[in-house]
Amino acid sequence: MALFVLRRFVLLVPLLLGMVLLGFAIVKLAPGDPVQVLVGDYPAPPEYVASVRERFGLDRPAWVQLVRYVGEVARGNLGYSFFYNEPVIDVLRGRLGATLLLMSAAFGLAAVGGIALGVACGRRPGSWTDHVLMVLGLAGYSLPVFWLGQLLLMAFSLGLGWFPTQGMRSLTFGAAVPPALDVLHHLVLPAVTLATRYVALNVRLMRTSFVEVGAMEYITTARAKGLAERVVVWKHGVRNALLPVVTVMGLNFGHLVAGAVLTETVFAWPGLGRLIFDSILHRDYPVMLGGLLVVSVCVVAGNLLADLAYAVIDPRIRYESRA
Amino acid sequence: MRWRRLRRRPLALAGLVGAVLFVAVAIAGPWVAPRNPLALGQDTLRAPAPPYWFGTDELGRDILSGVLQGARVSLVVGLLSAAGAVLVGVAVGAVAGYKGGAVDEVLMRVTEWVLVVPQFLIVLVVAAIFGSDLGLVIVVLAAVAWPATARLTRAQFLALGGREFVVAARSLGASSRRVVLREILPNALPPIVVAASLQIPSSILAEASLRFLGLSDPNSVSWGGMLNQAQNFLQQAWWMPFFPGAAIFLTVLSFNLAGEALNDLLNPRREV
C-alpha cells in the first residue's frame, strides 16, 4: 500500500509540471505588461522601468524565467502577491481551509445522501419511491449550482431568516454562539447547494449498481442462508455496489472545484475558488498560478483517496501485488 | 418500433419537446421578444405583471425579452463547443485505438492529464485574461471537454478493431483511412452520439457559469449574465434570478432527458 501511494505521488510530478507550464504560457501570452502595472500610469523614466524589469528577472528570455519559476515552486516558494503584499503561500493558506471545509461537507452529504437514497430506489425498482427519486435525481443533476444557491438564499436566508446570508463567520464579537457552531450555521446552505448535483448523480449511480448487484448469486445465497435482510442489503449489497460510485466520485473532484467557485461567489464564502477568480481580475498572476497548482494537488489527492477507498471497500483489490 | 418504446416514456418525450422548443426560441427569440432587452426604461424593478410578464430589472429592462434573446447565445455555445469537443475526441480516440502502441500511450497520457486537471478553472483563467469573446469561449470549452469522448471512442475502436468485418476489409486491401472511416467508425457511433448529446447541456451550463461569474459582454444578453446581475438584487427582486435561471435549468434538463431518450433508441439492450 505504501509503495502504491508513493508511486502515485511520483505520477503527480508530470501533472503538476504540466499545470505550471500551462499557467506560465497563459501569463506570458496575456495582454499587458506586468512591469507597467507595477510602475503605474505616470510617465516613469525608462531607466527606472528597466531597473524594475531587471529586478524581477523579466528582462531574461522566457525559458530562463520558466526554469527559475519551476525551481522556486519545487522548493515550495510560490512567489509574492503584489495585490495582498504577502507571500502567495500565506494568501493561499488563509483560504484553503474554507474551501476544503465547504468541499468536504458537500462531499459527505453527497456520499451519505446519495448512497442512502440510491439504495432506497434500488431495493424496489419500479416502485413509487423509485420513480419519484429518479425524476428528482435528473432534475437535481440539471440544476445550475449558482441558481440553486440564489434560490436557497432567497428562501431560507432572506425569506425565512433561518440562515445567515453570506460569509463564514458572524461579524458580531462575543456572540452567544460558540465559533464552531457559528461556522456550521453559515456552512449549511453553501454545502447543500454544492452537494445537490452530486447527491443526484450518486442516487442514479447507486441505484443502477445496486440493482445489478441484487441479481448476483451471492445475494441469493446470503438470503438463503437466512441472514437478516438488513445484513444482506448493507453488508453484501451496498458494499459491492459502492465501487462504481467511488470511481465516479473520485473523477468528479475537479468538477467539485468548479462548483465551489460558483458557490463561494453566491454566498461570499471566503474560499480558494473565489480568491483565484479575484486574483485574475487584479492581474495578480502569482496568486492565480499558485492557486491553480494547489487546486490541482487537491484534485489529484482526491483521486488517490478514491483509489484507496477502493481497497478498503473491496478486499479483492490489493495494491501491493501490482507494485 | 423503437419510437413506440419512446412513446411509453413520457419524460423522454418531454425532453425532446423541450429541446426542440429551446432551439425554436433561440432562432425566433429576437423577433418574438416584446422589447429590446437592452433598452432602459422608467419602470425599474417591477414585479411580474402585464405588460412585463417576467418583471423588469434595476435599469427597467424587460426580463422576458432578455430570457427570449439569451437562448441564442446558449444554443450557439452549447452546440458548437459540444461539436468541437466530439470532433477532437473522436479523432484522438480513433487514432489511439487504431494505431495502438506508443501513439496510444502518449495520446492517453495527454487525455488523462486533461481529464484530471481542474478544467473549469482553466477555462475561467483563459476567459478572464484573454476576454470572454464568444468564439474564444467556444474553443476553450471544447478544448477541455474532449477527453471523455476520446476514451469512449478508443474503447470502441479497441473492441471493434479485431472483429471479422474489419479484418476482412483489411485483407481486401482497404487503406487504413478507409477502414477507420468507413468500417469501424459507423459501427462505433451509437454510444458516441449519446455522449455528444449529453455534452451539449454540460457546455451550456459551463457557459452560463462563466457569465454568472461576470465574464460577459455587456452588449449581449445571456442567461448567466442576467443571474450575475441579479445577485445584487436578491432581496428586492426574486424575479430577476428566477426566470433566467429557470430557463437554464429547463434547457439543461430537456437536453439531459433527450440524451437518455437517444440512448434508449440507439442502445436498446441497455435498460435504465
Side-chain angles (χ1 to χ4, degrees), chain A residues 176-259:
Chain A
V177 209
L181 272 184
D182 185 42
V183 170
L184 204 64
H185 192 204
H186 282 79
L187 180 63
V188 175
L189 287 185
V192 169
T193 302
L194 183 55
T196 300
R197 180 188 170 89
Y198 303 97
V199 174
L201 183 67
N202 286 347
V203 168
R204 296 174 64 82
L205 282 171
M206 191 65 197
R207 174 194 184 270
T208 311
S209 171
F210 192 80
V211 170
E212 269 166 26
V213 167
M216 296 285 176
E217 275 132 10
Y218 56 79
I219 296 288
T220 317
T221 312
R223 283 221 174 87
K225 280 199 298 198
L227 289 180
E229 186 64 17
R230 186 172 43 85
V231 179
V232 175
V233 168
W234 290 100
K235 281 207 86 167
H236 294 245
V238 172
R239 191 162 172 171
N240 286 295
L242 266 179
L243 290 174
V245 180
V246 171
T247 317
V248 173
M249 282 182 93
L251 275 176
N252 264 312
F253 266 110
H255 234 276
L256 197 64
V257 171

Side-chain angles (χ1 to χ4, degrees), chain A residues 5 35 48-49 51 54 58 88 107 128 135 137 168 178 191 195-196 258 275 284 286:
Chain A
V5 174
V35 176
Y48 176 64
V49 175
S51 82
E54 205 185 313
L58 292 170
V88 171
F107 196 81
W128 263 103
V135 172
M168 192 168 134
T196 300
L275 176 74
D284 194 1

